[in-house]
Amino acid sequence: MEAYSLISYKGLVVSCQALEDEPLHGSHHMAVMAKAAKQAGAVGIRAGGLEDIRAIKEAVGLPLIGLVKIRHENSEVYITPTLEDALAVHAAGADIVAIDGTGRPRPDGRSLADTIAGLKRAGAAVMADIATFEEGVLAAERGADYVSTTLCGYTRETAGTPLPNLGLLERLTAVLTIPVVAEGGICQPEQAAEALRLGAAFVVVGAAITRPQWIAARYVEAMQGAVAGGSAGAEE
């Protein structure tokens, strides 16, 4: 199967991930979350961690973008940082392996091109998570099957960038022939729809759907602001 046909175009991919300190951490919870996403009409799942990948793959019959997040002292790369990690993600059942596509030094000393080539030899489709236009173009040239805007705002060079950066998406779709994926900071349905209009192959949404503590906190913050504003008005 061609890598480009793994996930239905113009659909929603839900990122089902929970950090260790979050209430929904655990493969059982993530598998249930993936089932809910499927029922809602999602065309794919993005999942982190080998256990979660296996559990979600067994629970739902949707294409799965897999990754691991591992911090190393000698590198800023943490999304599937080494070729060994990437091959393990592929072996766990991921249809597409997401890797850091920024070109920053990797913990295992391999280049981005070498990492992509190693995955291709194993028969894996590769998604390069990038932060800038130049990184997206380079990742495509190095053989990535997909380029995703995932890391914009999360690297030293792009810190503070307002998200979602749909301008970056639009620039990439204008020049790349491989699918460009919109991910990062999309928290409103209208933003996801606009990403499709700008040429995104599909849209990945995570926190706005699958992190209830973050969703609830937005309500709490807005309500506290309203209460504070009302109190100030009453004192005038």
Side-chain angles (χ1 to χ4, degrees):
M1 178 184 294
E2 288 291 334
Y4 301 165
S5 64
L6 287 172
I7 295 182
S8 300
Y9 270 27
K10 305 303 180 183
L12 171 68
V13 171
V14 175
S15 180
C16 297
Q17 300 183 63
L19 301 176
E20 291 184 4
D21 61 346
E22 295 178 344
L24 292 184
H25 178 71
S27 56
H28 170 73
H29 299 307
M30 291 299 98
V32 172
M33 189 73 76
K35 287 182 179 180
K38 181 179 180 179
Q39 289 182 3
V43 300
I45 303 294
R46 181 170 164 120
L50 303 183
E51 290 185 8
D52 286 8
I53 291 169
R54 295 188 188 101
I56 291 171
K57 192 69 177 176
E58 182 177 351
V60 299
L62 294 177
L64 192 147
I65 302 166
L67 63 136
V68 291
K69 293 180 178 178
I70 302 174
R71 298 282 183 176
H72 291 264
E73 292 184 359
N74 66 332
S75 174
E76 295 178 347
V77 171
Y78 64 92
I79 294 181
T80 322
T82 70
L83 177 58
E84 181 181 6
D85 295 328
L87 293 173
V89 168
H90 176 55
D95 299 286
I96 300 169
V97 179
I99 65 172
D100 183 298
T102 64
R104 295 176 292 183
R106 311 176 81 82
D108 59 5
R110 288 185 172 89
S111 67
L112 176 61
D114 288 342
T115 302
I116 293 175
L119 277 168
K120 292 295 194 70
R121 285 193 296 271
V126 182
M127 175 177 288
D129 290 348
I130 57 86
T132 68
F133 175 78
E134 293 77 14
E135 289 167 353
V137 172
L138 184 63
E141 291 175 349
R142 296 296 184 266
D145 299 294
Y146 301 85
V147 164
S148 178
T149 58
T150 312
L151 285 173
C152 183
Y154 299 97
T155 64
R156 210 180 308 181
E157 296 78 11
T158 62
T161 301
L163 300 177
N165 188 348
L166 297 181
L168 172 61
L169 169 75
E170 186 175 22
R171 290 183 66 198
L172 288 169
T173 59
V175 300
L176 297 185
T177 58
I178 64 171
V180 180
V181 179
E183 181 175 7
I186 297 172
C187 57
Q188 301 293 340
E190 296 77 14
Q191 294 171 335
E194 179 63 14
L196 292 184
R197 286 190 285 268
L198 294 175
F202 51 87
V203 179
V204 179
V205 179
I209 296 175
T210 60
R211 295 184 69 198
Q213 72 278 14
W214 181 84
I215 298 168
R218 295 176 70 199
Y219 283 88
V220 171
E221 183 179 355
M223 293 167 69
Q224 288 176 339
V227 170
S231 299
E235 293 172 0
E236 291 177 355

